[in-house]
Amino acid sequence: MREVTVELGERSYPIYIGEGLIEEAGTYFTKHEISKKSPLLIVTDENVAKRHLAKLESALTTAGFQVHSAVVPPGEKSKSLSVFEDLVTKGLECGLDRKSAIVALGGGVVGDLAGYVAAAYMRGIKFIQIPTTILAHDSSVGGKVAVNHPLAKNIIGAFHQPELVLYDLATLQTLPQRDVKAGLSEVIKHGLIWDAAFTAWVDDNAERLLALDPEALGYALSIGCGIKAQVVSKDERENDLRMILNLGHTIGHALEAVAGYNELLHGEAISIGMVGSARLGVKLGAPQEVYDVTKRVLSRLGLPVQLPQHLDTDAIMEAMLHDKKFSEGTMVFVVPTAIGQVEINKSVSTELVREIVEQLKQEAV
Amino acid sequence: MREVTVELGERSYPIYIGEGLIEEAGTYFTKHEISKKSPLLIVTDENVAKRHLAKLESALTTAGFQVHSAVVPPGEKSKSLSVFEDLVTKGLECGLDRKSAIVALGGGVVGDLAGYVAAAYMRGIKFIQIPTTILAHDSSVGGKVAVNHPLAKNIIGAFHQPELVLYDLATLQTLPQRDVKAGLSEVIKHGLIWDAAFTAWVDDNAERLLALDPEALGYALSIGCGIKAQVVSKDERENDLRMILNLGHTIGHALEAVAGYNELLHGEAISIGMVGSARLGVKLGAPQEVYDVTKRVLSRLGLPVQLPQHLDTDAIMEAMLHDKKFSEGTMVFVVPTAIGQVEINKSVSTELVREIVEQLKQEAV
């Protein structure tokens, strides 16, 4: 079992990473003084519920907790104000009080949704995350929770840190291969922005990761969470440093918007975006190696490195300018300066970005 | 002009109290570095809009701010998730960004609603309060913001402190007399829990306050806000000390629930509740003066001190037990021990509370 601490003063919390942690949930909840007198509400989705809910309910009930569960439909559409309201209703009906906790069992959508319920219910009650995807290693650090509005994603939310995170590696064994790869995209991102040695390790161990080797996966997730924790602990409210976590995301978000959210998974879109950032970095003076290593490690993880030809460059440029409300002329970009090192460049010309987008379409696979 | 500081570390903020502050809003906003590049959204209700909105819009526009306004129906029903969502939509349509601020112009309902929009929009943007009632002196300190759920009041919310509060005494001059009295009920509550000298001052100056003498009102509001600020700064998240602010509220909330929210205003209900608490205090050993002074000063402020005969004692007891989820047998009460001093008594018997409720029906007016 590995443990990563997210250092946030009195809001610090641990992430436990290991196999079979759901079965031991009662022990961890007890250790962290989650109340047995006040009811708990587990929030999960239909897919995850089938695999893991009974196991979690049983572990907690056996340990003496009062457990209620709410199961929402899978997918982004559950991150709505209307599902949020249903969960608040459920909380009231179950008698959740100020000492209660809400437990998110699932991926990023469930974490964001349940976390926002915990942030808002009675002005904030305890929150516990049990991520069941690789991608969720990212959202389990930093306390960003939210629901969507028809006009904008993640626009209604809060910063609400969990009490603890239980990362049970056993839940990852049943993930579809495409989700595994897309999740690893955010893991390697943490290496690319912060840690050259970890990047080299992923480069050497890509196959073990894709095979879901528990030892390799536990190590990679602990390093990924640890890097994000360091960044977040220095900038909890996303004022400055935390921006470096957006490596590959400016292009990536634009690709998701233009391609539609079904063609490219988030992790796939930012993989292409990170290749673009590496190209940009080299153009702005970083060593050639930045591009070579970035592209190689992403390829080894089975991630796309070439921008789909049929996506219109104008549409991509427009989506980028709209997304971040850039003024015409220059854009803000997270740019690699070396492997494991990035800087925020606030004066990248839109012409240069357009050139990069065009080159990404020609990228050799 | 008086200034009260709410000390909350990096979240500290000033409350400015004086006549004509709305006309000077541009100066205060500029002083507090509210952005002129990002749009502002004023939230107000139909009644307040008629009297004060044009004045505020003009003051801010003249000073160079980009001003948008949203007007909601007056009354508690606007504190709903649906009006909240409409305001988020409005914010997106107006292009509010992370540097924008939301301005609450109105009483407690507008403050709670607009404050919660500010707390949630993009995970929290700046918030400014311009209270237009006496009662709102209370909600303008402490950062408690929320909307209601059909099953429970204030259940969806946050702690979100304003950047500054502008208390323009001129707005109070047009308040209905009944609202003036009900507002003063919370002002004197702050004296009764914390400040014997201020209680004596209110006792001597009740007529000036009821006549809305600006000097008396400015003084009383600054002391009232100041006391609440001291309590809140010692217990921002309502863990412990902040409970003393609930003097008279256990009985008061039950009376509101049983009488229906039209018969008794909040301030009237807690006036009766504070007489009950004083009786309780004397029974538990406080000097007789606690009861005499409490009742006299509330009477002088034109507030009710007798519980309406037709309200059923059983229903009141049940509402009280339900509201705070008391276990049978004992209740938690804020009990005066002297004028300006209270304690939290966690073992008041329900029998004793029932006796007090009965006596409140017989209270000589």
Side-chain angles (χ1 to χ4, degrees), chain A residues 8 47-48 77 80 118 140 171 181 219 223 241 248 252 255 341:
Chain A
L8 290 167
N47 296 338
V48 177
K77 66 184 178 305
S80 70
S140 71
T171 63
K181 293 173 184 169
Y219 175 72
I223 301 290
L241 178 67
L255 296 184
Q341 219 172 287

Side-chain angles (χ1 to χ4, degrees), chain B residues 96-114:
Chain B
L96 259 58
D97 61 37
R98 292 175 66 175
K99 301 265 166 76
S100 288
I102 288 180
V103 184
L105 174 68
V109 165
V110 164
D112 282 4
L113 170 67

Side-chain angles (χ1 to χ4, degrees), chain B residues 221-334:
Chain B
L221 291 175
S222 70
I223 301 289
C225 290
I227 291 169
K228 181 152 183 196
Q230 285 182 66
V231 174
V232 166
S233 71
K234 288 177 181 147
D235 178 23
E236 185 179 3
R237 306 283 300 193
E238 201 166 23
N239 295 314
D240 194 354
L241 179 67
R242 203 161 160 168
M243 278 178 63
I244 70 172
L245 298 168
N246 291 326
L247 178 71
H249 281 60
T250 304
I251 292 174
H253 279 158
L255 296 184
E256 286 180 279
V258 173
Y261 289 92
N262 290 324
E263 180 177 344
L264 285 174
L265 295 178
H266 177 68
E268 293 167 347
I270 68 152
S271 172
I272 299 165
M274 288 191 285
V275 177
S277 308
R279 272 201 177 274
L280 189 58
V282 172
K283 275 208 212 285
L284 297 173
Q288 177 64 25
E289 172 204 48
V290 166
Y291 168 77
D292 296 340
V293 171
T294 299
K295 187 171 165 183
R296 186 177 66 225
V297 67
L298 291 167
S299 297
R300 285 190 175 163
L301 290 172
L303 285 159
V305 294
Q306 187 193 53
L307 200 154
Q309 306 279 342
H310 69 94
L311 299 181
D312 182 54
T313 301
D314 287 340
I316 294 168
M317 291 305 297
E318 198 171 312
M320 241 182 284
L321 294 169
H322 178 78
D323 179 36
K324 301 289 181 195
K325 298 193 187 64
F326 287 120
S327 41
E328 276 305 311
T330 60
M331 301 175 69
V332 181
F333 251 87
V334 184

Side-chain angles (χ1 to χ4, degrees), chain B residues 17 47 52 55 71 79 125 133 136 156 176 196 204 219 222 244 291 307 315 321 325 327:
Chain B
I17 302 171
N47 296 338
H52 309 297
K55 197 167 47 181
V71 181
K79 265 179 68 175
I125 61 173
T133 66
I156 299 169
D204 291 341
Y219 175 72
S222 70
I244 70 172
Y291 168 77
L307 200 154
L321 294 169
K325 298 193 187 64
S327 41

Side-chain angles (χ1 to χ4, degrees), chain B residues 60-86:
Chain B
L60 292 173
T61 306
T62 306
F65 292 93
Q66 302 171 41
V67 182
H68 299 268
S69 302
V71 181
V72 302
E76 189 80 13
K77 66 185 178 303
S78 281
K79 265 179 68 175
S80 70
L81 208 51
S82 123
V83 175
F84 164 83
E85 185 171 18
D86 290 345

